[in-house]
């Protein structure tokens, strides 16, 4: 056979053998892939609105393993890691032949392992497929797995796997978990000493645990620093400074904020690894601290809950379901922000708001606080005493019961429930019972979240907004009629802002109301400034009585402390809307100077039979009109008392639309100056006022 044919045959055979070998290796690679899917078994995380970690959940096997990428850690750490563990990381295919050869020669010369030859890819292979024995077959399999991993993943992905799965002692895995446990912070901005320690620990994580073997950890850190100095990565002065830094001697708990919301988020989406919330970590942490401290002074088995929301967006910024989630004696696992309880007197501001809107009262209107019988219902004040004649302002600030029931009897319990439904809040009434006057004193059920949502409408000048559930990015809008007119909402806020702070609390400029349910079962306090609404509940989750708790004495101090420490309060309450004014009692129209009541607690018949009276604006008033975005004057709200419906309204002799049964109407003036408003009732009786618009 010619020589060239022998060469060709030999070459062809070599190609076939090589191809066969490659095919065989590829078939084996596909038949026995590396267990990369294990990277999905990471901790579930609850994040705040800014992406900060609120709470992490251990993996099913009890590991703290937080998903980590190189973007999550300090770049200096990555630089030190590669310089110490795998200098040629970006140049080799998963196995560093030079490093393996050096390690073998050192082992042969010294009889022991002097330096390892494992690359980061090989270490990832070992982490994905742990083996107890340290043998040559195990090392060979590790090499093969490293080559397989390199075929499937990029260098960046392999590095991220190491950062997520590297062991750090106990049940800590990954750089983020270790940084949080040992330094109490995310690894985004590590010091040189902290980075060096985290580089050193994974080689012998149990022997070098700083919380158990601080000297071993310090020595390992020093070796990393000296290696950085030797290869020119770090100057001697920087190494010296890092070498004297203290080593952490205790392991910290990972963040565990918003426990109830975290559990609810997991139930809602069990497959998600990341749950994003609208909470703010700093606010949540402060309110949980306030709750734990306040619980110390509460009776046994008594808990508390808080919920803070942004009234302008509907986002929940902090939610504390109990005094301590892990306190079994206080039923800490029960989320009391979602439990329906009696609201006590916290619904009174809405009753007064409707009475303001209907023109029944002004802030300085005199109302009677004396015993009254409403068809068998005889409300009494909390302290069992009566104040006699008081102003509406005093009645609400003192939370007197009889005046509130008088007003609810006039505006109607059904109307109150209807208005609250406009805010998205549905009160729970006793089974089979119609809305009654007892609602004024807490005779219905409501959750803390719903109560805060209702007060958010007050903070928004009567415009409702539905609160989110804490894990939605935005709240759902509420389309429909307002809770009440802006002027009525302002009157309520103006009164509540004047309530004295609880003893020992400094004034914060917030409008707030307290409530205590029947039998001392629930103590409430809800307050708001120009943007945020905060609600506090105190009581026993099992609905047992807690003698001595009150809204003012138990819940209000927590409200003021939480508002002060939240870091987000302080937005001033808005200025009065057009048409709002606090008028002295002597300057009120005669019909508004006293809230006239009959012996049975109803509006007296004599008042109802009188001719109509325009109670707002009063005679001779100077009213400053606001302007809308188009520069045109805003409507002026006009209110009347008495008279017989329907009513005909006229402005300067010109009718304002058709007849109406409402005692309130809106008039849009054509301009400023003196105007005359007239109303005519169904009996032909008329009333007029002259006002000056400016």
């Amino acid at each position: 056979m010619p020589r060239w044919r022998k060469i060709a045959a030999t070459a062809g055979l070599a190609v076939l053998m090589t191809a066969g070998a490659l095919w065989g290796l590829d078939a084996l690679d596909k038949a026995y892939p590396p267990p990369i899917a294990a990277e999905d078994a990471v901790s579930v995380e609850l994040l705040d609105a800014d992406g900060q970690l609120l709470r992490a959940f251990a993996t099913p096997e009890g590991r703290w393993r937080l998903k980590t990428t190189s973007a999550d850690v300090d770049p200096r750490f990555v630089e030190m890691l590669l310089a110490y563990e795998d200098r040629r990381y970006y140049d080799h295919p998963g196995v560093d032949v030079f490093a393996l050869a050096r390690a073998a020669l050192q082992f042969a010369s010294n009889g022991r392992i002097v330096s390892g030859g494992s690359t980061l890819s090989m270490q990832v292979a070992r982490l994905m497929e742990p083996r107890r024995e340290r043998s040559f077959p195990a090392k060979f399999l590790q090499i093969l797995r490293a080559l397989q991993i390199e075929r499937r993943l990029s260098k960046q992905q392999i590095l991220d796997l190491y950062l997520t799965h590297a062991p750090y002692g106990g049940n800590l895995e990954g750089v983020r978990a270790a940084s949080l446990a040992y330094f109490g912070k995310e690894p985004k901005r590590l010091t040189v000493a902290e980075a060096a320690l985290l580089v050193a620990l994974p080689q012998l994580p149990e022997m070098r645990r700083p919380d158990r073997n601080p000297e071993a950890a310090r020595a390992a850190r020093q070796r990393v620093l000296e290696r950085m100095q030797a290869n020119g990565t770090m100057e001697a002065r920087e190494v010296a400074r890092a070498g004297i830094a203290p080593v952490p001697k205790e392991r910290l708990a990972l963040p565990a904020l918003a426990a109830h919301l975290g559990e609810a988020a997991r139930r809602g989406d069990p497959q998600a690894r990341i749950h994003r919330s609208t909470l703010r970590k700093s606010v949540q942490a402060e309110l949980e601290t306030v709750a734990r401290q306040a619980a110390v002074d509460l009776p046994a088995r008594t808990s508390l809950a808080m919920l803070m929301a942004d009234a302008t967006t509907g986002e929940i910024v902090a939610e504390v379901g109990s005094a301590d989630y892990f306190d079994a004696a206080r039923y800490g696992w029960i989320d009391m922000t979602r439990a329906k309880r009696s609201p006590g007197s916290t619904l009174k501001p809405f009753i007064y708001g409707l009475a303001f809107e209907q023109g029944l009262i002004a802030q300085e209107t005199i109302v009677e606080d004396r015993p009254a019988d409403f068809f068998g219902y005889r409300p009494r004040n909390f302290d069992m005493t009566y104040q006699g004649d008081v102003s509406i302002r005093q009645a609400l600030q003192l939370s007197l019961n009889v005046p509130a029931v008088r007003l609810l009897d006039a505006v109607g319990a059904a109307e109150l429930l209807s208005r609250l439904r406009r805010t998205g809040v549905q009160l729970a009434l006793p089974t089979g019972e119609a809305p009654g006057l007892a609602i004024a004193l807490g005779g219905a059920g409501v959750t803390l979240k719903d109560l805060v949502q209702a007060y958010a409408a007050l903070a928004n000048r009567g415009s409702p907004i539905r609160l989110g559930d804490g894990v939605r990015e935005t709240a759902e809008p509420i389309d429909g009629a307002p809770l009440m007119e802006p002027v009525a909402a302002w009157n309520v806020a103006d009164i509540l802002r004047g309530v004295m702070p609880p003893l020992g609390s400094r004034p914060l400029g917030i409008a707030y109301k307290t409530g205590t349910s029947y039998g001392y079962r629930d103590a409430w306090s809800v307050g708001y400034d120009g943007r945020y609404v905060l609600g506090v509940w105190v009581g026993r989750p099992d609905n047992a009585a807690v003698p001595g708790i009150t809204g003012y004495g138990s819940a209000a101090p927590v409200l003021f402390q939480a508002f002060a420490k939240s870091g987000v309060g302080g937005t001033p309450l808005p200025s009065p809307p057009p048409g709002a004014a606090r008028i002295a009692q002597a300057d009120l129209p005669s019909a508004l100077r006293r809230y006239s009541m009959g012996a049975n607690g109803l509006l007296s018949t004599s008042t109802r039979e009188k001719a109509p009276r325009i109670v707002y604006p009063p005679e001779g008033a100077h009213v400053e009109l606001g302007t809308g975005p188009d520069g045109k004057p805003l409507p002026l709200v006009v209110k009347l008392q008495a008279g017989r419906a329907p009513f005909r309204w006229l402005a300067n002799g010109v009718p304002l639309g058709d007849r109406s049964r409402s005692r309130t109407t809106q008039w849009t003036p054509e301009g400023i100056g003196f105007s005359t408003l007239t109303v005519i009732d169904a009996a032909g009786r008329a009333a007029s006022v002259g006002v000056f618009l400016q």
Side-chain angles (χ1 to χ4, degrees):
M1 179 182 293
R3 187 167 179 273
W4 67 269
R5 288 187 178 180
K6 291 182 179 180
I7 295 173
T10 302
L13 182 60
V15 170
L16 288 175
M17 292 178 64
T18 302
L22 292 174
W23 180 85
L25 290 173
D26 185 66
L28 286 172
D29 178 63
K30 292 178 180 178
Y32 302 98
I36 298 176
E39 69 163 315
D40 295 329
V42 294
S43 296
V44 174
E45 299 177 37
L46 175 67
L47 307 182
D48 81 342
D50 299 320
Q52 298 185 77
L53 181 64
L54 287 170
R55 186 184 182 191
F57 294 85
T59 62
E61 65 272 18
R63 301 281 181 178
W64 294 111
R65 185 187 299 137
L66 304 179
K67 177 71 174 177
T68 312
T69 68
S70 57
D72 299 323
V73 300
D74 194 303
R76 190 70 179 271
F77 169 82
V78 177
E79 180 185 349
M80 293 173 67
L81 173 68
L82 296 180
Y84 188 76
E85 290 284 355
D86 196 347
R87 287 186 300 164
R88 288 178 286 274
Y89 175 68
Y90 288 105
D91 299 324
H92 62 66
V95 178
D96 189 341
V97 178
F98 298 104
L100 285 176
R102 183 195 67 241
L105 288 173
Q106 290 174 340
F107 179 78
S109 302
N110 298 275
R112 61 183 178 85
I113 297 176
V114 177
S115 64
S118 294
T119 63
L120 283 182
S121 302
M122 293 170 64
Q123 293 183 49
V124 168
R126 185 177 69 248
L127 295 173
M128 295 293 99
E129 199 171 21
R131 293 180 180 274
R132 291 184 177 274
E133 72 276 7
R134 299 188 66 180
S135 61
F136 286 109
K139 178 64 71 173
F140 183 69
L141 178 60
Q142 190 182 116
I143 291 173
L144 292 179
R145 289 302 198 194
L147 294 173
Q148 287 182 299
I149 290 173
E150 289 270 353
R151 289 188 63 188
R152 288 166 169 79
L153 303 177
S154 67
K155 289 287 187 179
Q156 188 61 55
Q157 289 173 314
I158 296 171
L159 177 60
D160 292 347
L161 279 177
Y162 178 85
L163 296 176
T164 300
H165 291 268
Y168 280 93
N171 61 349
L172 293 177
E173 292 188 6
V175 177
R176 280 187 67 205
S179 181
L180 288 166
Y182 293 133
F183 309 129
K185 65 179 183 179
E186 293 281 354
K188 192 70 175 176
R189 291 180 176 83
L190 296 170
T191 66
V192 171
E194 292 168 345
L197 181 61
L198 294 183
V199 167
L201 292 183
Q203 285 77 45
L204 295 169
E206 292 302 327
M207 294 180 61
R208 297 175 178 176
R209 281 182 60 170
D211 59 327
R212 293 186 177 180
N213 304 297
E215 291 307 317
R218 185 188 302 275
R221 183 185 69 181
Q222 189 62 29
R223 284 193 290 273
V224 174
L225 293 171
E226 290 172 355
R227 178 81 64 84
M228 297 303 103
Q229 181 181 349
N231 62 25
T233 306
M234 196 177 298
E235 295 181 356
R237 183 178 300 177
E238 192 174 16
V239 169
R241 282 199 304 267
I244 62 175
V247 171
K249 295 183 179 180
E250 63 178 357
R251 173 174 160 175
L252 307 174
L254 267 65
L257 298 171
H260 296 90
L261 183 63
E263 295 290 353
R266 291 188 71 186
R267 289 193 300 268
D269 189 358
Q271 304 304 317
R273 188 184 69 81
I274 297 291
H275 298 278
R276 302 185 185 279
S277 75
T278 60
L279 306 187
R280 300 182 192 175
K281 185 175 183 178
S282 60
V283 182
Q284 182 70 25
E286 289 293 346
L287 264 61
E288 290 195 16
T289 300
V290 170
R292 283 193 299 271
Q293 293 173 347
V296 174
D297 298 324
L298 294 176
R301 301 186 180 277
T302 305
S303 188
L304 63 86
M306 286 186 278
L307 192 143
M308 191 175 201
D310 186 332
T312 62
T313 65
E315 294 178 343
I316 296 176
V317 298
E319 180 178 322
V320 182
S322 65
D324 187 342
Y325 182 82
F326 301 102
D327 189 343
R330 300 182 190 273
Y331 310 94
W333 66 88
I334 300 178
D335 184 0
M336 293 307 298
T337 66
R338 303 299 198 272
K340 287 187 180 294
R341 305 298 286 257
S342 166
S345 297
T346 57
L347 297 182
K348 287 178 181 176
F350 302 94
I351 299 171
Y352 281 80
L354 295 184
F356 279 121
E357 182 181 272
Q358 294 180 18
L360 300 176
I361 57 173
Q363 287 196 36
E364 298 303 325
T365 298
I366 299 300
V367 63
E368 293 181 1
D369 179 38
R370 294 183 176 85
D373 186 338
F374 298 86
F375 301 103
Y377 179 54
R378 301 179 180 89
R380 293 178 295 181
N381 288 324
F382 184 77
D383 60 2
M384 309 300 289
T385 64
Y386 298 91
Q387 302 295 318
D389 284 354
V390 293
S391 68
I392 288 294
R393 184 178 182 86
Q394 292 171 324
L396 180 53
Q397 289 181 343
L398 296 175
S399 196
L400 301 177
N401 289 342
V402 175
V405 174
R406 292 187 191 278
L407 293 177
L408 181 59
D409 186 56
V411 302
E415 178 67 12
L416 174 64
L417 265 63
S418 174
R419 293 299 185 95
L420 288 174
R421 281 195 293 270
R422 293 182 182 181
T423 71
V425 174
Q426 181 80 42
L427 294 185
L429 298 175
T431 304
E433 290 192 16
L437 298 181
I439 293 175
L441 310 184
V446 68
T447 67
L448 177 60
K449 179 176 182 288
D450 281 350
L451 194 59
V452 170
Q453 181 166 301
Y455 270 80
L458 283 178
N460 280 334
R461 288 282 176 82
S463 298
I465 186 165
R466 191 186 307 277
L467 301 188
D469 60 4
V471 291
R472 277 201 299 265
E473 292 297 327
T474 56
E476 297 178 0
I478 295 181
D479 297 325
L483 168 66
M484 62 183 67
E485 295 172 352
V487 173
W490 175 84
N491 273 297
V492 171
D494 189 55
I495 293 174
L496 296 182
R497 182 171 53 180
V499 179
M500 291 291 293
L503 295 176
S505 301
R506 62 182 181 86
L508 297 178
I510 63 174
Y512 84 104
K513 182 72 182 73
T514 62
T516 307
S517 69
Y518 177 76
Y520 298 97
R521 287 176 169 81
D522 310 275
W524 303 81
S525 187
V526 188
Y528 57 94
D529 62 8
R531 180 170 181 180
Y532 294 98
V533 183
L534 175 61
V536 177
W537 169 88
V538 178
R540 284 186 52 158
D542 61 359
N543 204 30
V546 187
I549 67 165
T550 64
Y552 187 78
S554 304
V558 179
L559 175 82
F560 272 72
Q561 188 178 16
F563 233 121
K565 292 192 172 183
S566 68
V568 296
T571 303
L573 288 164
S575 55
R582 192 193 301 174
I583 304 173
Q585 205 270 343
D587 296 330
L588 290 173
S590 58
L592 276 179
R593 291 178 183 173
R594 172 174 287 274
Y595 186 70
S596 180
M597 304 293 294
N600 60 359
L602 299 174
L603 284 169
S604 66
T605 17
S606 59
T607 300
R608 291 183 175 178
E609 292 176 353
K610 288 181 179 179
R613 292 183 179 87
I614 298 176
V615 296
Y616 188 85
E619 174 65 34
H622 286 244
V623 180
E624 184 174 351
L625 295 174
T627 56
D630 55 1
K632 295 182 179 179
L634 294 173
L636 176 65
V637 177
V638 186
K639 302 177 182 180
L640 66 86
Q641 272 189 0
R644 186 187 305 168
F647 305 100
R648 166 77 74 183
W649 292 89
L650 301 97
N652 299 320
V654 179
L656 301 178
D658 298 329
R659 289 179 177 269
S660 170
R661 304 191 68 84
S662 173
R663 297 180 185 275
T664 303
T665 191
Q666 290 188 342
W667 168 48
T668 303
E670 296 181 357
I672 61 176
F674 184 82
S675 293
T676 300
L677 293 171
T678 303
V679 63
I680 305 173
D681 73 354
R685 295 169 295 192
S688 297
V689 294
V691 295
F692 188 82
L693 307 176
Q694 56 189 28

